[in-house]
Structures are given as C-alpha cells and as structure tokens.
C-alpha cells in the first residue's frame, strides 16, 4: 500500500504520545495520556488503525477509479453517507442495465483490492 509506511509512522508516534509520561499523581506515580483518557490502549490503537484504513480506502477511490466507478462504489455501498443502493436501484438511477452496474462494480472492487493489498 502506498501510504502504509507513513500511516505506521503516525500510528507509532501516536502510541508513543499516549504512553509518554506527562506528570505524576498525588502519590508520586507517573501518569500518561492513557491514564487520563481512561480507555483501553488496544481499543484506541485499533480505532486509529481502522481510521487509517478508511482514509486509505477514500484515497484509493478518488485516485484510481474512474468517475463512473467512484459513483457506483459510493452509492452501492453507501460510502457517501447515504443509504446503500441495490444494483437494480442504481441501474435505474443511471439509466443503464443492472448487469452493467455489476460489471463496473466488480472491476472497481478488483482495482481497490489490488491497490490496497499489503
């Protein structure tokens, strides 16, 4: 993946920041951001990793897919925040056949899979 190295760098920096001591409590014990946040560090790191993957997906959609492929993927899976559409609904909206929507979708998903492959 093209942005994987930079993403892991940010992931590492964020992890270091969360575990870096920021002071002491009233008993003299070191405290860090994890202590203040009150969250499980693994859950936080999982959330960061998921957000990095979603950002990579959006980047891939906008850079490697044609405008028509972008439209079909965004509407088909509800990525733009709308309700996902069936192939039939999408075909009707675009004025093309359901099988053509299916072919475009399959090609676009293949491009995304190849681009995002680790």
């Amino acid at each position: 993946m093209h942005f994987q190295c930079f993403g892991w760098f940010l992931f590492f920096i964020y992890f270091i920041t969360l575990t870096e001591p920021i002071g002491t409590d009233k008993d003299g014990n070191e405290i860090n951001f994890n202590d203040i946040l009150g969250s499980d560090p693994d859950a936080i790191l999982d959330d960061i990793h998921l957000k990095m993957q979603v950002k990579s997906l959006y980047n891939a959609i906008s850079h490697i897919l044609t405008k028509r492929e972008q439209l079909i993927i965004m509407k088909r899976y509800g990525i733009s925040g709308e309700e996902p559409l069936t192939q039939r609904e999408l075909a009707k909206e675009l004025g093309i056949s359901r099988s053509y929507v299916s072919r475009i979708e399959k090609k676009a998903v293949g491009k995304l899979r190849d681009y995002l492959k680790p």
Side-chain angles (χ1 to χ4, degrees), residues 3-70:
F3 298 98
Q4 189 171 16
C5 292
F6 183 68
W8 280 111
F9 175 74
L10 291 177
F11 183 76
F12 178 74
I13 294 299
Y14 186 80
F15 180 75
I16 295 300
T17 304
L18 285 177
T19 58
E20 188 74 27
I22 58 169
T24 57
D25 64 10
K26 63 183 177 184
D27 297 325
N29 300 316
E30 283 188 346
I31 58 172
N32 57 37
F33 280 118
N34 277 335
D35 298 327
I36 294 171
L37 293 173
S39 299
D40 177 23
D42 290 336
I44 293 170
L45 295 177
D46 288 344
D47 188 45
I48 293 169
H49 188 248
L50 177 62
K51 287 179 181 177
M52 287 174 16
Q53 287 177 321
V54 168
K55 186 174 181 176
S56 293
L57 176 61
Y58 276 112
N59 183 54
I61 288 171
S62 66
H63 286 92
I64 66 164
L65 299 182
T66 66
K67 294 294 181 195
R68 179 164 265 189
E69 289 169 338
Q70 288 177 25

Side-chain angles (χ1 to χ4, degrees), residues 80-114:
S80 57
E82 300 172 11
E83 244 346 89
L85 298 177
T86 65
Q87 288 180 346
R88 192 171 315 282
E89 292 168 332
L90 196 48
K92 185 176 182 180
E93 183 178 309
L94 298 176
I96 59 178
S97 70
R98 189 217 47 86
S99 63
Y100 190 46
V101 169
S102 178
R103 286 194 301 270
I104 294 170
E105 178 185 356
K106 183 177 179 179
K107 182 179 177 185
V109 168
K111 283 181 176 181
L112 292 171
R113 184 182 310 116
D114 291 344

